[in-house]
Amino acid sequence: MMHGLETNFGQTPSQTVGPYFAYGLAASQYGYDFNQPYGSVVALGHARGERIRLEGRILDGNGEAISDALVEIWQVDGEGAYPCSADDALKGGFRGIGRSGTGTDAQHRYRFDTVKPGAQSPGEAPHIDMVVTMRGLLLHVFTRVYFDDETQRNSGDAVLKAVPVGRRHTLIARRVQKGNEVTYEFDVHMQGTDETVFFDL
């Protein structure tokens, strides 16, 4: 170290995400023989709550589906609770966290098999927290997924009410009945006139 010279260069900047996340974070989905704690199945059959599928695409500014995105979600179960431990998650059949890439589906969709979350606290609407990352994105982005069949509770949610009225629809998943299965469709628009609302966390 040279005396008299400033050596504080500040924080190292974030770097773009490479393709390694397929191996490190969604290994089984991409066909790697690598153990991982989280995948696209968030809730097993005995988890508390209504069984649902959450799926959608990550779209660029031209409306094209992005093939190398990784989506991570966090949520409570149907009674509004997170698992407290690994044993609790195993016993309740609910992990609370899931990861899904967009590179293995022909339409570049992510997909989660889970349960519809309950409200975490009074006055809060049911929702799923979502993080999106992909190649070329310097920082991952945070958003929320609300449900279009929860109109009354959505209207009282403090976070959703803080979003400008004209942009709230970008946070609402659409319920679709597919036979006996309930699917909520939620596309994330990274740019453009219909850009999804992202939160600064």
Side-chain angles (χ1 to χ4, degrees), residues 119-126 146 152-161:
Q120 295 182 47
S121 59
E124 189 173 47
Y146 291 90
Q152 183 174 354
R153 291 203 278 184
N154 288 347
S155 66
D157 186 271
V159 173
L160 196 54
K161 288 192 332 187

Side-chain angles (χ1 to χ4, degrees), residues 18-98:
Y20 58 81
F21 62 74
Y23 176 79
L25 298 177
S28 60
Q29 177 185 350
Y30 284 86
Y32 294 107
D33 184 17
F34 181 75
N35 189 28
Q36 62 182 41
Y38 304 111
S40 62
V41 178
V42 179
L44 300 179
H46 60 289
R48 300 178 300 186
E50 177 190 8
R51 301 286 306 177
I52 66 168
R53 172 169 284 177
L54 175 66
E55 69 178 21
R57 300 167 299 159
I58 311 301
L59 303 171
D60 65 17
N62 295 319
E64 299 293 328
I66 296 169
S67 64
D68 63 351
L70 180 77
V71 178
E72 182 172 293
I73 62 170
W74 302 295
Q75 67 163 103
V76 295
D77 66 14
E79 295 184 5
Y82 285 106
C84 298
S85 66
D87 287 341
D88 187 31
L90 185 62
K91 181 179 179 181
F94 179 73
R95 292 180 171 180
I97 301 174

Side-chain angles (χ1 to χ4, degrees), residues 82-188:
Y82 285 106
C84 298
S85 66
D87 287 341
D88 187 31
L90 185 62
K91 181 179 179 181
F94 179 73
R95 292 180 171 180
I97 301 174
R99 293 191 183 115
S100 178
T102 61
T104 59
D105 179 81
Q107 297 179 10
H108 303 308
R109 293 171 296 188
Y110 67 85
R111 181 176 291 120
F112 295 100
D113 291 313
T114 185
V115 293
K116 189 176 181 184
Q120 295 182 47
S121 59
E124 189 173 47
H127 65 271
I128 295 174
D129 292 314
M130 178 178 284
V131 176
V132 178
T133 191
M134 62 188 180
R135 188 195 319 260
L137 191 65
L138 293 179
L139 291 173
H140 45 276
V141 293
F142 297 86
T143 191
R144 271 190 173 185
V145 182
Y146 291 90
F147 303 94
D148 69 349
D149 55 352
E150 296 286 350
T151 304
Q152 183 174 354
R153 291 203 278 184
N154 288 347
S155 66
D157 186 271
V159 173
L160 196 54
K161 288 192 332 187
V163 175
V165 174
R167 299 197 63 206
R168 291 178 191 170
H169 69 279
T170 70
L171 300 176
I172 309 295
R174 184 171 62 96
R175 182 180 176 117
V176 178
Q177 192 78 32
K178 297 182 178 180
N180 294 327
E181 294 184 350
V182 174
T183 297
Y184 285 92
E185 297 179 346
F186 185 76
D187 289 342
V188 177

